[in-house]
Amino acid sequence: MSCPEASGTLAGSGDSGSGNPAASELIRLTAAELSAQLVAGEVSAVDVTQAHLDRINTVDGTVHAFLHIAHERALTAAADIDRRRAAGEKLHPLAGVPLAIKDVLTTRGMPTTAGSRILEGWIPPYDATSVRRTLDAGMIPLGKTNMDEFAMGSSTEHSAYGPTRNPWDLDRIPGGSGGGSAAAVAAFEVPLALGSDTGGSIRQPAHVTGTVGIKPTYGAVSRYGAIALASSLDQIGPVSRTVLDAALLHDVIAGHDPHDSTSLPDAWPSMVEAVRRADVAGLRIGIVRQLDSSSVQSGVSTRFHEALVLLEKNGAQIVEVDAPHFEHAIAAYYLILPAEASSNLAKFDSVRFGLRVTPPGGGTVEQVMAATREAGFGSEVKRRIILGTYALSSGYYDAYYGSAQKVRTLVQRDFTAAFEKVDVLATPTAPTTAFKLGEKLDDPMSMYLNDVATIPANLAGVPGISVPAGLAPEDGLPVGIQFLAPAREDARLYGVGAALERALHAQWGGPLLAQAPDLTRMIPLEGGHR
Amino acid sequence: MARAELMNFDAALDQFEPVIGLEVHVELNTRTKMFSSSPNPANSQFHSAEPNTLITPVCLGLPGSLPVVNETAVRYSISLGLALGCSIAASSRFARKNYFYPDLAKNYQISQSDEPIAFDGGVEVELDGGRTIVVPIERAHMEEDAGKLTHVGGATGRIQGAEYSLVDYNRAGVPLVEIVTRPIFGAEKDAPALARAYVATIRDIVLALGISEARMERGNLRCDANVSLRPRGAQQLGTRTETKNVNSLRSIERAVRYEIQRQAAILAGGGAITQETRHWHEDTGTTSAGRPKSDADDYRYFPEPDLVPVVPGAELIAELRAALPEPPAARRARLKVEWGFTDLEFQDVANGGLLAEVAATVAAGASPAAARKWWTGELTRIANATGRDVTELATPAQVAELAALVNEGTLTDRLARQALEGVIAGEGSPREIVDARGLAVVSDDGSLYAAIDEALAAQPDVLAKIRDGKVEAAGVIIGAVMRATKGTADAARVRELVLERAAAS
């Protein structure tokens, strides 16, 4: 297994680039490596796609990362890429590389449910802009990945279609809401996936599955076609096994979209270039005093501090900074998010699309709407709709939504002040490693607290990355480290992430996921192959 | 509908002071909708589209869709705000108005709440008797229209009691500007007429700006009338009712008058007015109670997170201000002089909503008198008889052609009416119809010279002005000549001859 280097060409070191690799080898390659082999004609897009579909066929019955698998469509698209490449057409480097798409993004002709019963069977007539850009690049969508219903949750247990399991320990959660995308990547079902992050839904799953996840600057990637949870917080981003792979996908999906008014007009630098230049010499890394809390699991804390020491050895400076309002971020977040969500989810009323439940004996349109929403929404969704409706109500607006917006401004000021002293901030991505399925299902507050370190970035619109930092000694489960940068400085995150990844891979003798259990041994295979 | 007890209007005015407030919704005629690239049915080019054909994922509120503000709609809204004498907000933002209704695709309407694009203005409104009242404008804000519901089955045609309802989302997302007045005091017995004249003025303004088709029968212009009464001498405002969707000028006047009489009867009888929405019934000329409405209606407004604030910039505002057309009141005063109409003649045209038609007909070569006569006479008669909109019957160019045929002696008035029938039937241009139907009868500048010379001699000061190059002074002479010739002259020709004579004398 090659260790992807953050330097040189996409072809990497070339140690896996000769001959016609077996299918079991293909799935272990990174997107960058697959790209190099595809470009060199050493492997066909159909072979790459088939290998991943086979892997899905083998393991996904147990992992349940996918809600929809687009077998035929993927193979047809792959054959088309092979034909175009053979005809000498100049293709994007990622053409022919498989991709998984979080089910929160609309896909033309492919079911899109956002993990909710209320959208069961809905086939959108249009592609999300981020999806469209990956299709234009020739990437091959293998299917749609599982998620907490409408992205509300940190464990993917709130999916109406059953939970996803963590490939490191099948009894544990893969994080959420984007547990499906993270688990698919960690289980080698796909090298790259799209996720969405409203309060940590890309980064926290990356943390618990040993993968890489980035929430770009708010407005860097179009939200058009992303089924809105909280419009002012949602952002689409890449999920991968290496920082370079994430950068490759980031460069495809980022950029202005006239269909999204909040999309930034900026021209973005290449994230791949930032990975190649990765160097932390002289980089000032801030540690937030107020986040160094006792609630962090010891192994998470251990790996976090080791990573900082390693970065220091590579020339970074570690500085303590204050962010006094971060401790109020969760409270503000759980007012702003439900408020926006209560309005965003009002459109699910059975009139134009999705589920329709008619009360026995018929009913008025209002009764049909109520019956549909009662049957179609899960308990967490209803909880947040009620919270948000309350927070926006006349007489309560100032005390709840109004105050939350003020806290949001204070959190933004904390970031501004901190970034005057340091270049990036570092935190453990989440306080604990993957918890057991069902463990926190009846304790929403404890579930919400998982997002304590990831939420401030969404409130302020700044970018964040989670990269694997190792395994917690006490439970052998993955731990991530999060870096945060000022808005528009996404490239800085790729730089520090790639530098840390390079140093850690050198220590580990390869990527962390090489240490993941062999799923084919954990999963009984009878009936696995079709 | 049982007719409520009414108090005699004059008696009501003796006891109570009416206070009215008007909300006018203007559908803008931009090519695309407020927040999507879908064609806009409020633009006449797309008016007759089949249901649910002018839609995009945005209009339907499909999951994942996002609104993007139509820049032209913003420009139109600023122009309208300026024409209403409003200040334009340096930064304004959209808000979500949340409520469930099947014609509302997202179950919230994107509107503007506490940050409207235009605010604090005033519009001069002229009443029939020449009285002028300045109507204070509180705000004008941008929003999107809802879809259209058709309730099938049931007696009332309303959602209650219907078997099922059809929804057409073509109208969903049509750009609207809602213009809200402050409470209007002091109109007294003119309150109903003021309501009508105000809406007519708004119509004239949006037509002059070219930002709306302003066809009330199509819902391009819709008026909600708030009416309250307070006992003479009282300081506190009475409880108001809001009469919805009064869709013709005449109905607005009738509805306000009706509400004044209805409320007066209740108050005089010791009753209390219920704060509510009321529906106007065109057929019976009455209003009936709709849903109770209170100030506590909770729409849970909050800033629309999908849209960035609208920040127009001083340069754009200055550009739009410079491009504003002549204000309606000034335009009317000018046209009245130019056309040489008496007060009554002019009111006839203005109250019929025919100023634009007459002006276009004159511009197309007809004399003002002929243009007035055709539009307020034969065409209005046919429109009333057939229930069609008068402006749909013929174009100003066709009317001008008819007038020319009469003027040159080709047609008599009677023959011209026959030719008009052909025009309305779509048989072609008046000349084509004259040829095809074999109509036609059997003229000179000479008779005009006499009238012009007489008018110039009678007003030597005007003659001096024209010679000094103040060509607009010619309007007075043109008016005099038109009166002298009883409106049979071609005004454009008279104008040429007046200038020629003035220069020569």
Side-chain angles (χ1 to χ4, degrees):
Chain A
M1 184 52 39
S2 75
C3 156
E5 291 293 333
S7 60
T9 65
L10 291 190
S13 51
D15 57 349
S16 58
S18 56
N20 188 9
S24 61
E25 246 178 274
L26 280 178
I27 61 160
R28 299 254 155 200
L29 298 182
T30 65
E33 291 161 348
L34 286 170
S35 163
Q37 296 199 7
L38 284 161
V39 170
E42 291 161 6
V43 67
S44 73
V46 168
D47 287 344
V48 169
T49 301
Q50 190 61 59
H52 286 91
L53 287 171
D54 287 347
R55 172 70 172 180
I56 291 171
N57 204 24
T58 306
V59 305
D60 208 59
T62 300
V63 175
H64 193 225
F66 284 86
L67 293 179
H68 174 80
I69 300 157
H71 288 272
E72 277 181 31
R73 176 174 162 158
L75 288 169
T76 305
D80 184 51
I81 291 297
D82 286 337
R83 194 162 43 243
R84 287 164 63 190
R85 205 185 300 277
E89 203 177 312
K90 175 133 181 63
L91 300 174
H92 188 278
L94 288 181
V97 173
L99 173 77
I101 299 167
K102 187 178 180 182
D103 208 27
V104 77
L105 294 167
T106 58
T107 42
R108 185 179 182 135
M110 209 189 282
T112 301
T113 68
S116 181
R117 196 62 74 191
I118 210 161
L119 272 181
E120 192 167 9
W122 182 59
I123 299 181
Y126 71 108
D127 284 317
T129 299
S130 51
V131 170
R132 171 55 31 207
R133 289 185 178 178
T134 63
L135 295 176
D136 289 346
M139 298 187 74
I140 314 293
L142 300 188
K144 305 298 288 289
T145 57
N146 200 9
M147 56 185 284
D148 286 295
E149 184 176 3
F150 288 110
M152 297 183 191
S154 308
S155 69
T156 314
E157 292 169 292
H158 293 299
S159 167
Y161 304 98
T164 296
R165 293 168 184 275
N166 191 324
W168 289 82
D169 178 344
L170 295 173
D171 292 330
R172 291 180 186 265
I173 60 106
S177 63
S181 281
V185 168
F188 297 94
E189 296 174 87
V190 70
L192 283 173
L194 287 173
S196 72
D197 189 313
T198 305
S201 289
I202 289 176
R203 292 163 286 160
Q204 181 258 10
H207 161 90
V208 297
T209 57
T211 56
V212 175
I214 287 96
K215 181 202 92 75
T217 296
Y218 183 80
V221 181
S222 171
R223 291 185 298 114
Y224 191 73
I227 298 176
L229 167 55
S231 312
S232 72
L233 302 164
D234 297 343
Q235 184 57 200
I236 308 307
V239 178
S240 64
R241 291 193 290 268
T242 68
V243 176
L244 172 61
D245 277 8
L248 283 163
L249 183 51
H250 191 122
D251 284 345
V252 170
I253 59 176
H256 180 67
D257 176 13
H259 291 109
D260 176 359
S261 159
T262 61
S263 152
L264 294 168
D266 304 42
W268 295 89
S270 160
M271 301 301 147
V272 170
E273 284 303 313
V275 169
R276 286 182 178 142
R277 282 196 313 269
D279 185 7
V280 291
L283 189 81
R284 298 166 301 166
I285 301 177
I287 310 300
V288 180
R289 276 194 193 93
Q290 288 79 4
L291 275 183
D292 195 15
S293 87
S294 53
S295 63
V296 177
Q297 185 183 323
S298 73
V300 172
S301 202
T302 304
R303 294 303 177 225
F304 173 64
H305 286 107
E306 284 173 5
L308 293 179
V309 170
L310 194 55
L311 286 165
E312 232 173 348
K313 271 191 201 157
N314 281 275
Q317 255 180 281
I318 310 298
V319 185
E320 281 206 336
V321 293
D322 284 301
H325 301 97
F326 276 24
E327 61 178 307
H328 303 299
I330 277 204
Y333 175 83
Y334 276 101
L335 287 169
I336 293 167
L337 178 144
E340 292 184 12
S342 70
S343 174
N344 283 332
L345 296 186
K347 63 176 58 168
F348 299 95
D349 63 2
S350 83
V351 175
R352 293 161 308 281
F353 50 81
L355 182 72
R356 178 176 296 174
V357 176
T358 309
T364 64
V365 66
E366 231 166 56
Q367 287 163 338
V368 171
M369 284 181 182
T372 301
R373 291 166 69 82
E374 167 60 29
F377 286 143
S379 58
E380 181 63 24
V381 172
K382 287 177 191 160
R383 184 183 353 261
R384 296 201 198 181
I385 289 175
I386 291 167
L387 267 172
T389 304
Y390 190 78
L392 287 176
S393 294
S394 144
Y396 299 97
Y397 181 93
D398 290 340
Y400 294 124
Y401 189 78
S403 301
Q405 289 294 10
K406 284 179 193 152
V407 171
R408 185 175 193 166
T409 304
L410 294 172
V411 168
Q412 285 162 349
R413 285 186 195 157
D414 278 1
F415 272 113
T416 306
F419 287 132
E420 276 167 15
K421 299 193 179 80
V422 296
D423 302 306
V424 297
L425 295 175
T427 76
T429 309
T432 68
T433 56
F435 47 89
K436 288 240 159 87
L437 285 161
E439 189 181 324
K440 297 189 178 181
L441 208 46
D442 297 324
D443 185 0
M445 269 314 288
S446 154
M447 189 84 92
Y448 295 173
L449 285 170
N450 236 284
D451 303 331
V452 65
T454 46
I455 278 171
N458 299 82
L459 287 177
V462 304
I465 187 173
S466 179
V467 293
L471 302 178
E474 63 270 25
D475 54 19
L477 291 168
V479 168
I481 178 169
Q482 172 182 241
F483 298 100
L484 304 169
R488 297 182 162 85
E489 296 295 341
D490 305 48
R492 207 179 281 175
L493 296 180
Y494 281 96
V496 63
L500 176 63
E501 180 186 68
R502 185 170 53 203
L504 284 170
H505 283 196
Q507 270 189 5
W508 301 331
L512 189 65
L513 273 162
Q515 300 175 41
D518 182 351
L519 281 171
T520 56
R521 291 205 188 132
M522 293 165 70
I523 299 169
L525 285 178
E526 55 268 29
H529 287 280
R530 249 173 247 167
Chain B
M1 192 71 48
R3 200 176 167 86
E5 200 178 319
L6 300 184
M7 184 185 280
N8 169 283
F9 185 74
D10 291 333
L13 262 292
D14 283 345
Q15 287 187 49
F16 301 101
E17 179 196 355
V19 180
I20 60 173
L22 299 161
E23 291 166 25
V24 173
H25 285 86
V26 180
E27 283 186 341
L28 302 179
N29 62 358
T30 47
R31 282 190 54 80
T32 58
K33 293 186 184 177
M34 187 72 225
F35 300 116
S36 88
S37 57
S38 166
N40 174 13
N43 178 309
S44 54
Q45 199 184 333
F46 308 111
H47 167 68
S48 45
E50 291 295 309
N52 293 313
T53 56
L54 306 181
I55 49 172
T56 66
V58 177
C59 312
L60 292 181
L62 291 190
S65 64
L66 291 174
V68 176
V69 177
N70 181 335
E71 199 183 313
T72 305
V74 172
R75 292 174 65 100
Y76 283 8
S77 304
I78 294 171
S79 292
L80 179 51
L82 291 170
L84 298 171
C86 289
S87 304
I88 303 301
S91 173
S92 74
R93 64 183 306 162
F94 288 95
R96 290 190 188 174
K97 181 179 181 179
N98 295 285
Y99 63 98
F100 280 85
Y101 212 69
D103 64 6
L104 198 61
K106 303 178 293 294
N107 287 315
Y108 58 80
Q109 180 194 29
I110 305 178
S111 181
Q112 294 193 303
S113 171
D114 48 2
E115 297 177 70
I117 190 153
F119 56 95
D120 286 349
V123 179
E124 201 174 85
V125 176
E126 197 183 324
L127 298 175
D128 283 2
R131 183 181 175 197
T132 296
I133 294 176
V134 175
V135 171
I137 304 293
E138 182 182 308
R139 56 189 284 158
H141 67 254
M142 299 182 281
E143 59 185 29
E144 57 177 343
D145 212 339
K148 199 179 234 160
L149 288 173
T150 306
H151 305 296
V152 182
T156 59
R158 288 206 227 125
I159 195 165
Q160 294 86 3
E163 281 168 45
Y164 59 92
S165 304
L166 300 170
V167 200
D168 176 8
Y169 290 103
N170 279 358
R171 201 178 64 181
V174 165
L176 287 179
V177 177
E178 179 178 346
I179 306 165
V180 183
T181 69
R182 294 190 189 285
I184 306 165
F185 301 94
E188 298 294 348
K189 67 173 174 39
D190 290 332
L194 175 65
R196 173 194 186 125
Y198 168 75
V199 178
T201 304
I202 298 291
R203 190 184 57 178
D204 289 347
I205 290 174
V206 300
L207 282 174
L209 288 167
I211 62 174
S212 174
E213 312 287 331
R215 312 263 301 240
M216 294 193 75
E217 77 284 4
R218 286 186 186 172
N220 296 149
L221 205 64
R222 308 195 289 263
C223 179
D224 302 337
N226 289 278
V227 176
S228 71
L229 300 183
R230 60 178 172 187
R232 293 276 157 207
Q235 287 301 305
Q236 208 187 335
L237 286 173
T239 303
R240 70 192 158 83
T241 61
E242 183 181 4
T243 304
K244 286 281 203 191
N245 292 325
V246 196
N247 290 333
S248 74
L249 291 176
R250 183 168 162 264
S251 298
I252 289 161
E253 184 166 353
R254 288 169 75 203
V256 170
R257 190 180 173 92
Y258 179 87
E259 266 307 285
I260 290 171
Q261 292 180 265
R262 189 188 68 86
Q263 291 186 18
I266 292 170
L267 293 171
I273 303 302
T274 310
Q275 184 168 340
E276 63 189 357
T277 297
R278 296 189 66 85
H279 298 288
W280 169 249
H281 304 282
E282 186 67 48
D283 47 350
T284 56
T286 60
T287 66
S288 67
R291 66 190 173 85
K293 186 182 173 113
S294 71
D295 291 327
D297 268 349
D298 194 351
Y299 292 117
R300 304 190 308 282
Y301 279 103
F302 73 102
E304 165 57 282
D306 284 331
L307 293 171
V308 293
V310 175
V311 184
E315 265 177 41
L316 174 66
I317 295 171
E319 176 201 322
L320 294 172
R321 191 189 297 278
L324 283 183
E326 190 180 18
R331 177 165 174 262
R332 290 153 83 106
R334 175 178 61 81
L335 289 176
K336 186 162 172 283
V337 171
E338 274 191 24
W339 291 346
F341 288 175
T342 64
D343 288 353
L344 256 165
E345 287 167 345
F346 192 80
Q347 277 167 27
D348 230 19
V349 174
N351 293 344
L354 293 166
L355 274 180
E357 277 68 27
V358 171
T361 307
V362 171
S367 73
R372 176 181 62 76
K373 204 179 71 186
W374 280 107
W375 284 107
T376 62
E378 189 64 7
L379 281 159
T380 297
R381 188 188 65 73
I382 295 170
N384 289 340
T386 57
R388 292 175 67 185
D389 189 273
V390 66
T391 59
E392 279 176 9
L393 299 176
T395 66
Q398 290 169 330
V399 175
E401 201 178 321
L402 270 180
L405 287 165
V406 173
N407 201 39
E408 71 191 30
T410 308
L411 295 177
T412 62
D413 281 357
R414 192 176 56 80
L415 291 171
R417 284 198 291 274
Q418 290 178 27
L420 178 63
E421 277 170 26
V423 167
I424 294 170
E427 291 171 22
S429 76
R431 279 188 200 282
E432 287 164 2
I433 292 163
V434 166
D435 291 344
R437 289 193 177 192
L439 305 173
V441 191
V442 190
S443 177
D444 71 334
D445 290 343
S447 59
L448 289 179
Y449 281 129
I452 292 168
D453 289 346
E454 194 180 327
L456 286 173
Q459 302 192 65
D461 50 329
V462 177
L463 175 60
K465 277 187 191 165
I466 299 173
R467 282 202 191 134
D468 287 350
K470 297 198 174 86
V471 178
E472 66 273 15
V476 178
I477 302 298
I478 297 169
V481 173
M482 297 308 294
R483 273 192 300 277
T485 58
K486 301 200 189 310
T488 57
D490 170 354
R493 181 69 189 144
V494 171
R495 185 180 172 80
E496 281 172 23
L497 293 178
V498 166
L499 296 179
E500 182 192 313
R501 279 319 245 195
S505 63

